């Protein structure tokens, strides 16, 4: 996804920004101001994970009240969740893993999606099914940049959004790889800033993340 922000099913989730914030919303009241801070800092793609009871309502609120946001749903595990989050306004889907049932539901959703992989066989299986863009999770635990670099030669058609354990220091190393379109992370959302509703700090950290590239500078 790139500017102008895409809305077509063919658009790529990997091209919106170098970093996709992975957001866990515990208090629904935080959803809109948090999203506004991220967008103001230059991170329009916001992955709201389905890990809390208010996640669906958070997606709905961000979609309705933050025009600059491209809100997506993360930790999507079932076909029912696919239906629910798209109805709530999610514009992309991310899963930590995949099955054929889940893949069929995501394909039928009409929005871009990133099924999760952590092994070469999973990547090959998705390529066999016509899927070329994937989430690599858990990135650091599954082999990090060394693993993705090793995949680039035999499987150059696969592109990834690595997520899991990535930091501002390691993000540029991932972004330098030819098969990485963006990274996912939550370092721009420190718990103390969220608890204190320090949206100015979130915006500042988002701005720093948005400037990251393979060289660590704005790209």
């Amino acid at each position: 996804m790139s500017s102008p922000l895409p809305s077509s099913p063919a658009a790529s989730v990997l091209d919106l920004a170098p970093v996709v914030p992975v957001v866990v919303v515990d208090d629904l009241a935080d959803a809109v101001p948090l999203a506004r801070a991220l967008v103001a800092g230059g991170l329009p793609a916001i992955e709201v994970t389905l890990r809390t009871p208010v996640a669906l309502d958070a997606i709905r609120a961000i979609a309705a009240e933050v025009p600059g946001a491209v809100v997506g749903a993360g930790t999507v595990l079932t076909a029912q969740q696919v239906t629910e989050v798209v109805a709530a306004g999610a514009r992309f889907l991310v899963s930590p893993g995949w099955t054929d049932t889940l893949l069929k539901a995501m394909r039928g959703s009409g929005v871009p999606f990133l099924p999760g992989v952590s092994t070469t066989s999973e990547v090959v299986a998705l390529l066999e099914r016509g899927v070329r863009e994937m989430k690599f999770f858990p990135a650091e635990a599954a082999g990090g940049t060394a693993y993705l670099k090793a995949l680039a030669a035999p499987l150059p058609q696969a592109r990834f959004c690595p997520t899991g354990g990535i930091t501002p220091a390691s993000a540029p190393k991932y972004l330098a790889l030819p098969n990485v379109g963006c990274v996912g992370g939550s370092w721009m959302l420190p718990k103390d800033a969220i608890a204190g509703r320090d949206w100015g700090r979130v915006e500042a950290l988002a701005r720093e993340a948005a400037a990251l590239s393979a060289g660590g500078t704005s790209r």
Side-chain angles (χ1 to χ4, degrees):
M1 296 181 184
S2 58
S3 183
L5 299 181
S7 58
S8 72
S12 171
V13 181
L14 301 180
D15 298 326
L16 257 181
V19 179
V20 176
V22 179
V23 180
V24 179
V25 179
D26 292 302
D27 186 337
L28 183 58
D30 293 338
V32 168
L34 185 156
R36 286 175 176 160
L38 291 172
V39 171
L43 299 180
I46 300 170
E47 177 189 334
V48 177
T49 67
L50 301 183
R51 301 180 193 174
T52 67
V54 301
L56 197 62
D57 287 333
I59 291 170
R60 189 175 292 111
I62 293 169
E65 300 180 44
V66 190
V70 180
V71 63
T75 323
V76 177
L77 302 175
T78 67
Q80 181 178 345
Q81 287 179 328
V82 170
T83 300
E84 291 173 345
V85 298
V86 172
R91 292 176 59 185
F92 64 91
L93 310 171
V94 184
S95 66
W98 65 278
T99 65
D100 280 317
T101 299
L102 180 58
L103 189 63
K104 180 180 179 181
M106 291 193 293
R107 278 189 188 278
S109 69
V111 300
F113 58 91
L114 292 175
V117 297
S118 61
T119 68
T120 305
S121 294
E122 291 169 334
V123 175
V124 172
L126 282 178
L127 291 173
E128 186 179 75
R129 289 159 175 78
V131 178
R132 295 188 175 188
E133 298 188 344
M134 313 165 195
K135 171 179 179 174
F136 181 60
F137 175 83
E140 286 291 285
T145 56
Y147 194 97
L148 287 173
K149 185 176 181 180
L151 289 181
L155 302 171
Q157 63 271 55
R159 295 181 72 217
F160 301 95
C161 174
T163 303
I166 297 175
T167 67
S170 63
K173 299 175 185 176
Y174 281 94
L175 293 168
L177 299 175
N179 54 353
V180 170
C182 65
V183 300
S186 57
W187 70 82
M188 73 296 299
L189 300 163
K191 290 183 179 180
D192 59 337
I194 303 301
R197 292 179 170 156
D198 187 351
W199 308 127
R201 182 180 172 199
V202 171
E203 180 180 339
L205 290 171
R207 185 169 293 109
E208 292 175 4
L212 290 175
S213 69
T217 57
S218 187
R219 67 175 185 176

